[in-house]
Amino acid sequence: KSRLENITNNIPGVVFQFQSSGDSIVIKIISDGIRFLHNIEPDDVIGDFNIFINSNLIFGSSVKRVL
């Protein structure tokens, strides 16, 4: 996991992986880019997926397609 975090934290932008199961969505990993681009702490997003959705990282019309 630390190797993956090191790689993703060195890529410009935000790299993330989420897993959905029924009504549940869990962020598995999110890069530090979220902090630099949107002033959101990665651990906050891991704890609450709605922070990610409400951050406008995914354009409104694309949210349903992504999920």
Side-chain angles (χ1 to χ4, degrees):
K1 183 177 176 179
S2 65
R3 183 175 179 201
L4 179 60
E5 287 175 348
N6 187 38
I7 292 169
T8 60
N9 287 333
N10 287 297
I11 296 173
V14 179
V15 178
F16 65 96
Q17 177 186 23
F18 70 90
Q19 178 180 356
S20 65
S21 176
D23 293 338
S24 173
I25 298 174
V26 177
I27 294 281
K28 297 299 224 175
I29 188 170
I30 190 159
S31 67
D32 287 340
I34 189 102
R35 181 183 298 121
F36 301 115
L37 292 174
H38 291 278
N39 202 27
I40 299 170
E41 290 299 315
D43 287 340
D44 293 343
V45 176
I46 289 172
D48 183 358
F49 184 71
N50 288 316
I51 292 172
F52 183 78
I53 293 298
N54 295 328
S55 71
N56 295 321
L57 276 172
I58 304 171
F59 293 107
S61 62
S62 300
V63 170
K64 288 182 182 179
R65 189 173 50 218
V66 169
L67 300 178

